[in-house]
Amino acid sequence: MVSEMIDYIAAALGIVLVFIAGVFFFTSAVTNGLAFSNQQNAAQQAENLLDYVLLTPGSPANWGQASSAPLALGLASPTSQTEYSLSQYSLMRLLVPNASATLNFKGVNYESVYLGGYDYISAPSSYFLNYSYAKTLLNITRAYEFRLTVRAALNVSISELSTSKYSVSVVSSSGSPVVGANVMASLVYGISGKGSNPVPHVGISTATGTTGPQGTATLSFSVSPSGVGEYYVVAQVESGGLTGEGYHYFNSASQPLTYILYNAGAPNQVTVIQHCAISTSPSCATDYINVSIADLSDGANTQTQLTCNVTKINPGKGGGDSGDNSTCKGTILGGFIVVTSQRSGKGPNSYPAVQLFPIDFAVGLATQFGGNPTGSPDAVTTSRVVLVAGISYVVSLVYWPDVGPEYGG
């Protein structure tokens, strides 16, 4: 009788253990299945979200060139019929301003972004899009965060061998040298003005080449800039349907001679400011300026002159004073704003200096809009190859459940 009771207890205990084990494994399977399902759903949401951002222009369609905040967030170019062709102006509004390069001009605060070379371009604080507002436009709840990253598909670097000879290196986004890439480069420099009103102008020389086994090409220009304060080499490359751009610059000045203020509400107008309007060191005299738009991507180096209300800026009170800034107007559709300036008189600061301010999302520029998925093992990533002003970029979206304080504000 006792042994039978023990058998019954043992059998019951076994059933209970089997039941508990079954519940455990069932729960584990359900939990893993739900986790997998949630991650798959998040991956699909990320795919849909990235395509929405890249295939729609937003509202209004030209919000990248407007002064107000958009009503819907999209980055597609409103003038292109090609899928995954993005607006450089909309992307510029996602850039993160440099906190050390803010300035105040005539009572208005401007924030600045680094767009290549030595120089910054500045815009009103309201020009740059707030991350939390972008989340609202995309209908992303507080339970999720995102990060949008834009990087060049081809990385182009240029080193100076002499003032007329340069080495151009092309590397893929994975870090491999690109062999057989076609390279076209432009050397941009200032040329001194003549006479009693010495307004300088721009000189551009072109050279071409093809990258060899190490992914490099040596280019020689027909001119060798001398007696100039600043010059640039801008190179465009093409390989396997991908395009890239890079730059090299030389500058002997201690700081930019002029600043550019860009107001998206007046996209065909820029303000050129003499640096003494911001900083009085080094001291300023009269600067003669010339402003144009240059397209360096077609080999023809097309230049379009902007019309400035004055070509001589001077913050002092001497004769001929015309103020410390000049307003320049014209058709600004892309390329580079080229400001050539020259000090009056003679001396170390009287050389012609050229400054390039790219208004394309170009010269290998990259941006990261959003936070970092720190502490979130469920982050998913999706990517697309896009074109921005003819240059190939890789856009990646990271999407993850919020596990900490909300980024931005």
Side-chain angles (χ1 to χ4, degrees):
M1 185 71 175
V2 172
S3 62
E4 291 179 356
M5 182 64 68
I6 292 174
D7 290 341
Y8 288 140
I9 294 173
L13 182 60
I15 292 172
V16 170
L17 291 175
V18 170
F19 177 77
I20 293 174
V23 170
F24 173 79
F25 286 115
F26 176 77
T27 303
S28 178
V30 170
T31 301
N32 290 337
L34 288 175
F36 178 76
S37 178
N38 287 338
Q39 192 167 41
Q40 289 295 101
N41 288 337
Q44 187 60 56
Q45 290 175 25
E47 293 274 346
N48 294 340
L49 181 61
L50 183 58
D51 277 336
Y52 171 80
V53 170
L54 299 183
L55 294 175
T56 63
S59 179
N62 66 337
W63 69 271
Q65 293 179 281
S67 58
S68 58
L71 303 177
L73 179 58
L75 300 176
S77 170
T79 60
S80 175
Q81 301 300 315
T82 305
E83 288 189 339
Y84 299 111
S85 179
L86 307 189
S87 164
Q88 66 266 37
Y89 303 104
S90 299
L91 279 168
M92 284 173 64
R93 295 192 68 177
L94 300 187
L95 296 177
V96 179
N98 187 309
S100 63
T102 59
L103 57 92
N104 183 283
F105 182 67
K106 298 188 182 305
V108 178
N109 290 321
Y110 290 85
E111 296 189 79
S112 304
V113 291
Y114 183 67
L115 293 179
Y118 187 74
D119 310 307
Y120 290 87
I121 191 168
S122 304
S125 301
S126 58
Y127 172 77
F128 302 101
L129 196 64
N130 175 275
Y131 171 78
S132 296
Y133 180 66
K135 279 187 63 177
T136 301
L137 293 180
L138 295 174
N139 198 29
I140 299 177
T141 67
R142 292 178 64 90
Y144 279 86
E145 304 290 345
F146 79 96
R147 183 184 69 195
L148 195 69
T149 302
V150 184
R151 67 183 190 280
L154 296 176
N155 297 308
V156 182
S157 58
I158 305 172
S159 57
E160 182 173 333
L161 305 178
S162 70
T163 54
S164 62
K165 183 180 291 187
Y166 298 82
S167 176
V168 180
S169 174
V170 185
V171 179
S172 68
S173 58
S174 63
S176 302
V178 178
V179 181
N182 297 315
V183 183
M184 181 191 68
S186 300
L187 173 61
V188 185
Y189 57 99
I191 299 176
S192 295
K194 305 294 183 181
S196 60
N197 188 30
V199 176
H201 58 283
V202 179
I204 302 178
S205 178
T206 302
T208 59
T210 304
T211 58
Q214 303 302 315
T216 61
T218 300
L219 305 183
S220 296
F221 294 92
S222 59
V223 297
S224 180
S226 60
V228 299
E230 193 170 14
Y231 55 84
Y232 288 77
V233 175
V234 179
Q236 286 83 28
V237 304
E238 185 278 329
S239 176
L242 295 178
T243 54
E245 190 168 33
Y247 74 94
H248 165 83
Y249 80 101
F250 167 82
N251 173 53
S252 63
S254 60
Q255 68 175 68
L257 297 181
T258 60
Y259 295 88
I260 283 285
L261 299 186
Y262 177 75
N263 190 333
N268 289 318
Q269 172 181 310
V270 295
T271 301
V272 181
I273 303 176
Q274 192 179 47
H275 85 267
C276 274
I278 309 299
S279 171
T280 57
S281 178
S283 59
C284 289
T286 298
D287 286 347
Y288 295 91
I289 62 168
N290 183 7
V291 185
S292 62
I293 302 297
D295 181 1
L296 305 179
S297 65
D298 58 1
N301 298 319
T302 305
Q303 292 186 63
T304 303
Q305 195 71 33
L306 297 187
T307 302
C308 302
N309 64 328
V310 294
T311 57
K312 184 172 67 171
I313 50 179
N314 177 9
K317 297 181 180 180
D321 177 25
S322 55
D324 55 15
N325 69 93
S326 179
T327 300
C328 302
K329 299 179 180 180
T331 302
I332 303 175
L333 295 177
F336 295 85
I337 301 172
V338 185
V339 179
T340 312
S341 57
Q342 182 175 345
R343 298 288 174 87
S344 62
K346 298 180 179 180
N349 291 327
S350 62
Y351 46 70
V354 64
Q355 295 171 267
L356 293 187
F357 300 88
I359 49 176
D360 287 338
F361 194 81
V363 293
L365 193 65
T367 188
Q368 179 174 295
F369 184 74
N372 292 307
T374 304
S376 177
D378 300 320
V380 294
T381 303
T382 185
S383 302
R384 301 285 188 273
V385 177
V386 303
L387 280 177
V388 184
I391 305 299
S392 302
Y393 286 86
V394 178
V395 178
S396 299
L397 177 74
V398 185
Y399 187 70
W400 70 96
D402 190 8
V403 292
E406 183 179 5
Y407 175 88

